[in-house]
Each structure stands twice: as structure tokens, then as C-alpha cells.
Amino acid sequence: MGGISLSGRQVWSTYGRWKALASLRQSREASHIFQQRLWFSCSSRLSHNPDRQARENRVQLPDTPCRTRFAPSPTGYLHLGSLRTALFNYLLARATGGQFVLRIEDTDQSRLVPDAESKLYEDLKWAGLSWDEGPDVKGPFGPYRQSERLPLYHEHAAELVADGKAYRCFCTPEALEEHKRAANAAGQPTLYPGTCSHISPAESEERAHKGEKFAIRFRSAKTPVAVRDIVYNQFRKKEFEDDYIIIKRDGFPTYHFANVVDDKHMEITHVIRGAEWLISTPKHVELYNAFGWTPPKFGHLGLLVDENRQKLSKRHSGVSMAWYQDHGILPQTLLNFVALLGWRGRDAAAGGAKRKTGTNGDIMSLDDMVDIFNLKFSKGDIIVSLSKLSFLQTQHLKALPQTLPSNPSLLADLKSRHIDPFMDFLSSVDSLRRSSRSASPEIPEPLGLHLLGDPIPNPRIFSAPYVADLVQIILKPSPQSTTKTTTTPTDNNESLHPTRQQQPLTTPAAFYPLRHLYWTLSPSALRSSLVASHINIQTITLNNQPSSLPEAINYLVSELSALSEADWTKENISLFLAQRKEVIGFNEGEKYVKNTWKICRWAILAGKEGLTVPLSIEVLGKEETIRRLAAAGEVAAEVVKEENGGGGRGNDGFATATVGEAALAGGRGGADTAAAVEGSWTDVLPAIDIDVDDVI
């Protein structure tokens, strides 16, 4: 019989391989079964975890349009917390295709601030928020001032009285105050003792008919009411509610009553507000229940606190809108900053993944916020850190050239708040500069008036194409403001842009990087900046050949002169410099470098920081740029002659005599030394009239 003959060793070897394969197969099957069980177990826990599922349901946006409202009281001005409330209600309405309602709750007539309502409209519009219905916008549920809705409140209060769910209270304010004092002295609760709760309806009607003054109180349940909240899930007070007033003796409703009636009649679906109102929400839910109405969905935002976890007070300067506007914070910066105070957004492109960011990190426009909005708010206190504000300002300033042209209202606001005052300051400085040359008074050295030549006729930095660049410099946060801090400015003049002495600057920081785009350069400016630049003029090379600084400047004049006016753009100039960046070399300290850019910045801007070199050259224009290069060549020739044992400083006697050699050698003369400029000397200077409307 033919077949395969196996030895004993081969048999055992074959059996071993079969056993190993069988074991591996079993292992794989077991692994697969384990993975299936693990997946089923995890998915079961996820799907059957009622708390987690309820949380996910609460934070998801509804499929139907939401009607939200912002209902401020004109007893004060818009502040950081109320802007956050307005923003989140706005975002919820816009994200669901609903309506955002502005309602003025002016029932507290004794505390009204005359201009608070008009300032409220102004601040909300400045921030970029709009509303679909409000006192100044026609809507189907008006009027939108509570003082104009009194008949509606009286009608519903009478309904509660008729149903025995409310009653008239004839107690005088003096009697109620006396009860509170006695209860306090005895260590007892100061709740209303129910004095009028047992008056019969007939007696109540008779006393009211006779003209006796009364308030209307709601009969609260003796069992605390539970409240469902988007953020805090379920909330229930330990104590039952007092029989609180819903209509005051003057006929005006209380906030608790009016906001419930208005939210019902205005068909509000969601109420997003600060956590300080959570304690009052059971009162509101009881009223909804008394009328048989379905309450809106509530979401209460964490309190804004300082680094000591103390609630931000309206006394803090950094809480008011005026503080941010006066300090040059862009509206989009402020909204971005406010959105990050307790909102945990998602990236729509990531399928709802947990991120507190938009498509570009934390940097979000208002449209970005609408696109990624959900109801994931943080519990607990929210610490306000101004270091984040400074970072966001820098990022939004970078985007300003793209956003400003399509936002004329923002341009008008920036012009009136920041550009015009800056131009007035420059005019005052020029008046001082001219008077100092004739009368030689004491000159505030940090301003560096000796570095300024004559004003440039119609400086292009103020013309329309460069407004965004101008604003970027004017509103740029100082380096000190980027340090980490959680301290909110208070009334002690603390600034987002502090100096070394933590004092506000009289001189705008933008004066230093922009002054040479308003004035020509004096020989003093070129001399002092050359000293500060550490350019060793004895080691100048041109195309790797020994040369001199005047020859290097003449090379730049020749090359730039070949550019036509049509090609005089920052893009072409940038390309021009990039192609010649290694043409000019020199020793910088002990290191040899090739840096045509630095030579150009010295000759054009006296080495000062500010706009980029290509943009500065474009702004100055071809004629002024060539003139400056030629003037720099003359100064360079004088310096070379002096270092080689030649003559003196030419026409620079004014600067030397006025401010001294040390000031000329001080180099930068910029923001670091500007801290000393204080006082009121600019307040009494005559201003040169410059009509910014002609150039913007």
C-alpha cells in the first residue's frame, strides 16, 4: 500500500504544529468574542446611563427654532456679565434659525438711569449684536417695555386672585419693616407672616374698593418646587418660598411676575441667564404651574469672579463696556473673550467633538460662534483673566485688514474713538516741536522732538488704504499686557497697557512707531539710530566687496529708483528686498551679517519698530523714500568722514545744545523711556487742524 511514512519525531512535530494552530485559532476566536463583549458592555453602559444620556439631551440644540430674549433693566449700564447673557441668547436664536428679542424691564421706576436705555442700544450695536424684536424694532408681541404692558400684568394678577392663588396685602411698608426688625432681633426668619392671607375675598374687595392701598402676593406652595436646568440639571431649595409680592403698591409688577408673563406671551422657549437667578427660578416655575403654562427651558451660567473668587462687582472698571471701548478693545475681540467665559463649544467639522474652540483655535468671529454653538456651559465660577483678552486682541488685530473694509460702523467708531484723538495728539506735538525751535523751552526728552523733521504733507498713513494698518499700531497691546494675570482692573486707573510704573501713559504708545510716517527724519534721528543699531560702518561690504555706507545707500537709491510708481507696492518692494537681502554686509557687534533690510530700515525709519519695511516704504511713497535714502547717504558720508578724522556734525547744533550728547546717543527713545511723560503739557497746546474726513 503506497503512502507517506512518518517517523515518530515527525509525527510529534506535525501534531505540535496542529496543536499550535488550533490554539491560535481558539485564541483569536476568544479575542473576537472578548472584543464583542467589551463593545457591547461599553455601549450598553453608555446607552443605559440615564444621567449621561439626560446630560447629552440637555445640551443638544433643539431641532426647532428657539425664541430667546435679553431683558436688561435700565437701572445701570451694560457690563461684562450682561453682555455674556445677551451673546449666548443671541447665539442660540441664530444657531437654530429662531428670533432674538430685546425687552426692557423698567418696572423699578425709582432706580431708572435716564440714559441707560439709549446707551444699552449703543453698546449692543457696538458689540455687533442685533435683535429681531424690541422697543426700537416692530414685532408681533410688543410693546417691548414692561412699563407699557401694565394692563396685561393686572389682568393676570386678577386671575390669580380670583382663583385664590394670590391675595391682596394691605400691610404698610412701615409695618413690614417693623416685623423684619423684630424677627431679626429674635433670631427668626424674616418671611412675611401671612397677616393678610386669611382676609376673606369679600373684605378684600371692600377695602380695595374704598381706596386702601395694597400689594398682591402670590400664595407659594409649602413644598419646595424642583427646577430642571440645562447646566445644573435639577435644583430644589431646602426652604419653601415666601408669599412674595407680584404687584407692588404703585401698580407696577415685580420682576418675578412680569418676566414670567412676558416670556409666556412672547413665546420664549429658552432662558439663558446668570447663576445668581437660579435661586429665584422656583418662584417662576410656581407661577407657570399656577397658570397651567409650560415653562421655557432654563440655563444658568456660572458666576464671573476675580482671582480671589469674589464676584465681579460693577465697581470694577473692567466690567463696564466703556472700559473696553476706551482701551481700544475691538468689538470682535470682546465677544470672543466673553464667549470663552464658561462656554464649552464644539467644532462642527469634528462631528461634535469636545473642543472649546472654533476653526482657528480659540479665535472666533461671531459667525464662527453661531456655526459651532451648543448648550455646553461650565458649572461653577468662571475666573476672568485679562491675559486672554490681550492675546485675543492681537489675533483679531491681525485679521483687521480683511474685516474692516466690510464693516463701516466699526471704521466710524475707530475713527472717532482712536484715530481722531491720535491725530490731535500728533498736531499738539508738532506745535510743541515748532515752538521749541524758536523759544527753546525745556523739551520732554522721551518724545524725541529733536528727532523729528518737518511734517509730511498729507501723510498717507491716514489715507483709506492704510487705515487697518494704522489701527493695528494704535490698538496693539503692549508687551506688558501679555503677561499672565487674572486681576480685573478696578477704579484705580489700572490699565491693560501698563507702563513700568503701572501708570497710564499721557503719550500714546503708537506715537513712537508711527512718528516717522508723519514727520520727516532729522539728521539727529539718523545719527542716534545708527549708534543704537550697532552697525560697524568700517566693515560695510557691497556684493561681497569692501565698500562704504554711503555707497551702500547709493546702491539702494539706484535700485529703488528703477521701480515705477505703478509697481510701488509692498509686495513688489518685499520681493525687491528679498532678492537683494545679502547684497549689503557688515559687522553687527562681533558677528558679520548680510542684512540689506536693516540698512534700509535705518535709512527709512531711523531703525524704529512699527510697520514692516515694505509697507512703510509703500506708505511713504517713492518720492519721500528716495529723499530719505539720499538724506541718509549724506549723514553716512558725514559719519564716515568724522570716523576718519574729518569735520564736525554740520547743522546738528540745535539737537546737541538742546538735549545733550547723552540724549542723542540714547538710541531708541521709544516706549521704554516714554513712561516718564506725564502731566498736562499737551492740554494747553494749540492744535493744527487736520480734517481726517479728507483722507479716510
Side-chain angles (χ1 to χ4, degrees):
M1 180 176 176
I4 299 175
S5 177
L6 298 174
S7 66
R9 177 174 296 180
Q10 288 173 324
V11 169
W12 281 110
S13 176
T14 302
Y15 173 77
R17 286 196 297 272
W18 172 83
K19 189 70 174 177
L21 289 172
S23 176
L24 179 62
R25 187 180 300 111
Q26 291 175 349
S27 175
R28 287 176 176 171
E29 290 175 353
S31 176
H32 179 66
I33 293 172
F34 173 76
Q35 291 176 1
Q36 285 185 322
R37 288 176 177 174
L38 178 62
W39 176 87
F40 179 77
S41 174
C42 292
S43 62
S44 297
R45 283 197 294 270
L46 286 173
S47 60
H48 291 89
N49 185 330
D51 291 338
R52 181 167 184 172
Q53 190 64 46
R55 169 65 177 164
E56 291 299 319
N57 291 339
R58 290 199 309 273
V59 302
Q60 294 303 316
L61 290 183
D63 296 328
T64 55
C66 296
R67 280 182 59 83
T68 64
R69 48 79 163 175
F70 176 51
S73 172
T75 55
Y77 302 111
L78 190 71
H79 55 80
L80 196 66
S82 53
L83 178 64
R84 182 182 62 156
T85 299
L87 173 62
F88 289 152
N89 281 284
Y90 172 92
L91 293 176
L92 178 55
R94 294 290 179 264
T96 59
Q99 298 83 39
F100 176 56
V101 179
L102 177 62
R103 187 173 73 220
I104 302 299
E105 300 194 340
D106 58 347
T107 57
D108 192 349
Q109 294 285 297
S110 63
R111 297 176 55 234
L112 296 183
V113 175
D115 65 335
E117 184 176 334
S118 60
K119 191 69 169 65
L120 171 73
Y121 301 151
E122 178 185 325
D123 287 342
L124 287 174
K125 291 176 181 177
W126 172 84
L129 300 184
S130 59
W131 43 96
D132 304 290
E133 302 168 29
D136 59 337
V137 180
K138 291 183 179 180
F141 301 100
Y144 294 92
R145 289 188 189 88
Q146 288 185 336
S147 60
E148 300 171 2
R149 298 169 65 85
L150 297 184
L152 182 65
Y153 308 133
H154 290 165
E155 175 187 341
H156 284 290
E159 178 184 339
L160 292 178
V161 171
D163 292 342
K165 297 175 181 178
Y167 57 90
R168 297 183 183 90
C169 174
F170 299 94
C171 298
T172 64
E174 294 77 14
L176 293 175
E177 188 62 32
E178 178 59 32
H179 164 72
K180 287 183 179 180
R181 282 198 296 267
N184 268 326
Q188 297 176 351
T190 59
L191 300 178
Y192 176 65
T195 306
C196 298
S197 61
H198 305 298
I199 296 177
S200 67
E203 180 185 347
S204 177
E205 285 285 351
E206 181 181 359
R207 293 174 67 173
H209 183 71
K210 290 180 178 179
E212 190 172 347
K213 285 191 174 183
F214 63 87
I216 297 180
R217 291 184 180 269
F218 179 71
R219 291 186 191 273
S220 297
K222 299 308 177 186
T223 301
V225 175
V227 173
R228 302 292 295 183
D229 189 77
I230 294 171
V231 181
Y232 291 91
N233 193 8
Q234 182 166 293
F235 171 75
R236 186 195 301 268
K237 292 174 66 175
K238 293 181 180 179
E239 305 84 10
F240 60 85
E241 295 292 342
D242 194 0
D243 283 0
Y244 58 91
I245 293 175
I246 58 175
I247 299 291
K248 296 177 287 187
R249 289 165 65 90
D250 62 2
F252 279 83
T254 59
Y255 163 81
H256 302 295
F257 186 62
N259 94 89
V260 168
V261 173
D262 287 342
D263 285 348
K264 168 61 180 177
H265 282 270
M266 294 181 181
E267 299 182 3
I268 301 301
T269 63
H270 291 71
V271 174
I272 309 299
R273 59 190 179 191
E276 63 269 26
W277 291 109
L278 182 59
I279 195 71
S280 299
T281 306
K283 293 182 178 181
H284 307 158
V285 172
E286 273 202 75
L287 281 169
Y288 281 106
N289 295 341
F291 285 115
W293 299 337
T294 301
K297 296 186 182 301
F298 296 100
H300 289 86
L301 310 170
L303 293 177
L304 300 183
V305 298
D306 61 20
E307 62 179 354
N308 299 317
R309 293 194 174 274
Q310 298 298 312
K311 180 182 176 181
L312 289 186
S313 167
K314 293 181 182 179
R315 296 191 307 272
H316 289 78
S317 300
V319 172
S320 71
M321 291 301 98
W323 187 89
Y324 295 96
Q325 293 164 351
D326 293 343
H327 283 75
I329 301 301
L330 294 171
Q332 53 266 46
T333 298
L334 185 57
L335 285 185
N336 196 161
F337 178 65
V338 168
L340 297 175
L341 297 176
W343 173 48
R344 299 182 296 157
R346 64 175 172 83
D347 185 352
K354 290 183 178 179
R355 289 182 61 195
K356 194 181 67 175
T357 58
T359 55
N360 186 26
D362 280 352
I363 313 306
M364 295 178 285
S365 68
L366 190 57
D367 289 339
D368 293 333
M369 298 176 206
V370 172
D371 290 341
I372 67 174
F373 189 70
N374 61 12
L375 297 173
K376 291 186 177 180
F377 300 113
S378 300
K379 291 183 180 179
D381 297 342
I382 311 299
I383 297 177
V384 178
S385 171
L386 288 184
S387 60
K388 188 70 171 183
L389 177 68
S390 184
F391 164 75
L392 295 173
Q393 173 80 341
T394 299
Q395 301 307 311
H396 282 286
L397 281 173
K398 291 179 180 178
L400 202 58
Q402 290 75 44
T403 59
L404 193 58
S406 60
N407 196 337
S409 61
L410 176 59
L411 175 58
D413 181 78
L414 291 172
K415 175 181 177 297
S416 62
R417 290 182 189 273
H418 305 290
I419 297 176
D420 289 354
F422 182 69
M423 294 184 70
D424 290 342
F425 178 81
L426 295 183
S427 297
S428 298
V429 171
D430 194 65
S431 297
L432 180 66
R433 180 192 67 85
R434 288 185 287 107
S435 64
S436 67
R437 288 186 180 275
S438 58
S440 297
E442 181 181 354
I443 299 176
E445 288 188 11
L447 282 176
L449 298 186
H450 60 288
L451 304 178
L452 307 178
D454 294 326
I456 300 172
N458 299 318
R460 297 175 66 192
I461 187 59
F462 295 109
S463 62
Y466 307 110
V467 170
D469 303 294
L470 174 65
V471 171
Q472 284 178 325
I473 295 295
I474 292 177
L475 302 187
K476 180 181 178 180
S478 66
Q480 296 94 328
S481 66
T482 60
T483 57
K484 186 176 181 180
T485 176
T486 56
T487 302
T488 302
T490 55
D491 292 335
N492 60 359
N493 290 326
E494 188 177 345
S495 171
L496 184 65
H497 311 286
T499 67
R500 289 177 301 173
Q501 291 84 4
Q502 298 298 315
Q503 294 292 332
L505 286 175
T506 299
T507 304
F511 169 78
Y512 301 100
L514 292 175
R515 57 181 167 176
H516 294 312
L517 299 178
Y518 183 85
W519 288 280
T520 61
L521 289 172
S522 70
S524 298
L526 290 167
R527 283 178 172 274
S528 60
S529 60
L530 184 60
V531 173
S533 66
H534 305 293
I535 297 174
N536 188 335
I537 63 174
Q538 300 293 343
T539 59
I540 299 293
T541 62
L542 190 63
N543 289 318
N544 296 318
Q545 299 298 317
S547 185
S548 67
L549 185 55
E551 290 175 342
I553 297 298
N554 288 337
Y555 163 80
L556 289 173
V557 170
S558 174
E559 293 290 294
L560 276 172
S561 297
L563 280 179
S564 66
E565 291 285 356
D567 292 332
W568 199 265
T569 65
K570 62 182 179 182
E571 291 79 14
N572 289 331
I573 295 167
S574 180
L575 179 62
F576 167 91
L577 291 173
Q579 292 172 341
R580 297 162 178 79
K581 64 180 180 180
E582 295 187 352
V583 171
I584 302 174
F586 51 85
N587 276 3
E588 188 176 34
E590 298 180 356
K591 182 181 179 181
Y592 179 77
V593 297
K594 292 183 177 181
N595 197 333
T596 299
W597 291 76
K598 187 168 186 177
I599 294 293
C600 200
R601 179 173 282 280
W602 166 74
I604 301 299
L605 297 170
K608 298 296 184 290
E609 297 178 359
L611 302 180
T612 63
V613 170
L615 180 56
S616 298
I617 291 177
E618 179 188 325
V619 170
L620 288 170
K622 183 175 181 179
E623 181 181 349
E624 175 64 17
T625 299
I626 298 302
R627 191 201 65 76
R628 289 193 180 196
L629 286 169
E634 293 178 3
V635 170
E638 289 183 6
V639 172
V640 169
K641 183 177 179 181
E642 292 166 9
E643 293 200 358
N644 292 332
R649 292 183 175 271
N651 296 324
D652 210 24
F654 162 77
T656 306
T658 306
V659 298
E661 191 68 28
L664 288 179
R668 190 164 177 269
D672 290 341
T673 56
V677 183
E678 295 185 51
S680 58
W681 58 270
T682 57
D683 297 338
V684 296
L685 294 175
I688 299 176
D689 291 332
I690 301 177
D691 190 357
V692 73
D693 293 319
D694 293 338
V695 291
I696 294 182

